[in-house]
Amino acid sequence: MEIPVLKIADLSKSYGALKAVDNLSIEVQKGQVFGILGPNGSGKTTTLAILLDVVHADKGKFEWFGQEVDAQQRQKIGAILEEPIFYPYLSGLDNLQLTAQIKNTGYEKIPEVLNLVELYERRNDKFRTYSYGMRQRLAIAGALLGDPEVLILDEPTNGLDPQGIAEIRRLINKIASRGITIILASHLLDEVQKVCTHVAILQKGKKLASGSVEDVLQETKRVELAAQDMKHLKNGLEEMKEITNVREENHLLVASISGELSSETLNKMLFEKGITLSHLAVRKKSLESYFLDVLNQNENKNRN
Ligand SMILES: Nc1ncnc2c1ncn2[C@@H]1O[C@H](COP(=O)(O)OP(=O)(O)OP(=O)(O)O)[C@@H](O)[C@H]1O
Ligand SMILES: [Mg+2]
């Protein structure tokens, strides 16, 4: 097993009585586009701030590239946590040259990153004339100076119009395809679905679920079923250990399946119990409804 790019273990941070980050453990492997997904106030920015040594954790630890952070590790991490400071009356190019000086890297990479973020043509225009989307792309260009192995983005599409959002998402995919690991905080489900390979879902600083976006989806695969004798069907389903939840919905039964169980096998198993299905369809749950479910379950647990 390769050393993870990032390993967070039991990280906690409170502000007074408020637990902003609550015993959080996450691992990010090289090449992943890792989404930290959660509603407002769930601790995403605080987590990123801890990882970048802007905020100190009360408890727990994290390692970048298998070790505690030093200046050399730091060089391998590009980040945009807050709105980057660019000078409005300087051009995009001049601003990047300043960024390069601050980062202590040369200017040679500047044309490449400008091309990558599709601002090369506009490099000599003043920053103040840039759209919000262009500003964000320039910030990403700045973060990529110094050839980072990891790029950290906090809500990269906030405040952008649909076209700007699409451009940033395309850019993230492009950066990822170059092998750069990306860690991205977002409160937007479809953003995580569209650009991330892996996800950790946070609520009130706690991790509710994590895994590959695909697994998180599959984990809750559901099927809808019908048979002549619905009662018999319901009993049959409830006897099966792979079925975790059965409920009625519009004259159908909806069953949650845990683990690997194909619809063919399910059909066969039911047939062996003397049940012939008149309807069987797989309902792949969207991450969205999964997310809502997870949040609801958690609320209920807290209430009980
Ligand atoms: N400096 C601070 N002082 C006090 N409370 C803070 C501070 N920073 C964050 N918090 C609180 O910690 C919790 C987590 O905040 P955080 O900004 O990490 O959430 P977030 O998931 O990034 O939210 P958003 O989606 O709105 O960006 C919130 O309840 C917030 O009010
Ligand atoms: Mg935030």
Side-chain angles (χ1 to χ4, degrees), residues 78-131:
I80 309 172
L81 201 51
E82 272 148 27
E83 286 230 347
I85 302 157
F86 286 125
Y87 292 92
Y89 290 96
L90 291 182
S91 70
L93 177 61
D94 289 340
N95 270 299
L96 282 190
Q97 290 182 346
L98 277 178
T99 308
Q101 284 172 24
I102 293 164
K103 287 193 162 184
N104 231 338
T105 61
Y107 291 173
E108 352 36 275
K109 277 250 144 198
I110 293 178
E112 186 192 326
V113 295
L114 277 170
N115 264 314
L116 180 68
V117 303
E118 290 171 26
L119 283 177
Y120 189 78
E121 305 298 317
R122 301 291 304 267
R123 69 190 180 286
N124 292 316
D125 294 344
K126 290 198 182 355
F127 179 75
R128 73 180 165 80
T129 69
Y130 284 11
S131 69

Side-chain angles (χ1 to χ4, degrees), residues 44-46 154-155:
K44 304 180 295 291
T45 301
T46 305
D154 191 5
E155 309 273 3

Side-chain angles (χ1 to χ4, degrees), residues 8-277:
I8 302 176
D10 308 319
L11 211 60
S12 294
K13 171 73 187 176
S14 295
Y15 292 106
L18 184 129
K19 285 192 168 171
V21 178
D22 194 355
N23 219 29
L24 182 66
S25 298
I26 290 176
E27 268 188 37
V28 179
Q29 307 292 337
K30 187 172 160 50
Q32 291 181 346
V33 180
F34 196 98
I36 298 178
L37 175 66
N40 294 136
S42 54
K44 304 180 295 291
T45 301
T46 305
T47 303
L48 297 183
I50 292 170
L51 299 175
L52 293 168
D53 282 327
V54 176
V55 165
H56 283 281
D58 303 330
K59 187 179 129 319
K61 61 177 198 167
F62 60 93
E63 287 180 348
W64 285 105
F65 314 103
Q67 44 194 180
E68 292 197 4
V69 210
D70 59 25
Q72 218 193 337
Q73 308 302 323
R74 178 39 48 78
Q75 287 282 333
K76 300 194 220 164
I77 305 165
I80 309 172
L81 201 51
E82 272 148 27
E83 286 230 347
I85 302 157
F86 286 125
Y87 292 92
Y89 290 96
L90 291 182
S91 70
L93 177 61
D94 289 340
N95 270 299
L96 282 190
Q97 290 182 346
L98 277 178
T99 308
Q101 284 172 24
I102 293 164
K103 287 193 162 184
N104 231 338
T105 61
Y107 291 173
E108 352 36 275
K109 277 250 144 198
I110 293 178
E112 186 192 326
V113 295
L114 277 170
N115 264 314
L116 180 68
V117 303
E118 290 171 26
L119 283 177
Y120 189 78
E121 305 298 317
R122 301 291 304 267
R123 69 190 180 286
N124 292 316
D125 294 344
K126 290 198 182 355
F127 179 75
R128 73 180 165 80
T129 69
Y130 284 11
S131 69
Y132 283 111
M134 291 166 69
R135 290 171 189 210
Q136 182 66 334
R137 269 146 53 208
L138 190 71
I140 293 176
L144 290 172
L145 287 175
D147 257 336
E149 290 178 29
V150 185
L151 181 63
I152 296 181
L153 302 169
D154 191 5
E155 309 273 3
T157 60
N158 247 11
L160 303 186
D161 63 18
Q163 195 199 330
I165 291 174
E167 280 166 2
I168 294 291
R169 289 180 181 169
R170 241 194 355 256
L171 177 58
I172 292 172
N173 287 331
K174 209 152 73 170
I175 294 167
S177 73
R178 300 186 162 203
I180 297 174
T181 306
I182 296 174
I183 300 170
L184 172 159
S186 178
H187 67 284
L188 302 171
L189 296 156
D190 78 312
E191 179 148 294
V192 168
Q193 242 168 344
K194 285 195 177 111
V195 305
C196 295
T197 60
H198 293 74
V199 60
I201 299 179
L202 297 194
Q203 190 204 25
K204 294 181 182 159
K206 274 196 169 70
K207 185 173 79 178
L208 300 186
S210 68
S212 75
V213 168
E214 185 65 9
D215 277 352
V216 170
L217 288 168
Q218 269 177 2
E219 209 174 301
T220 55
K221 188 168 101 173
R222 288 189 299 180
V223 288
E224 41 185 58
L225 311 105
Q228 193 103 54
D229 187 344
M230 291 294 267
K231 202 158 180 245
H232 191 188
L233 173 60
K234 189 157 194 267
N235 291 338
L237 287 168
E238 280 168 352
E239 282 166 17
M240 295 163 65
K241 66 173 185 341
E242 295 88 351
I243 302 292
T244 52
N245 182 18
V246 183
R247 61 190 165 76
E248 292 182 37
E249 213 178 83
N250 302 328
H251 308 292
L252 292 171
L253 291 179
V254 178
S256 302
I257 299 179
S258 71
E260 295 289 309
L261 179 65
S262 69
S263 31
E264 295 78 54
T265 313
L266 178 62
N267 194 2
K268 194 162 157 264
M269 285 163 77
L270 288 167
F271 188 76
E272 279 160 10
K273 290 178 188 283
I275 302 161
T276 307
L277 294 175

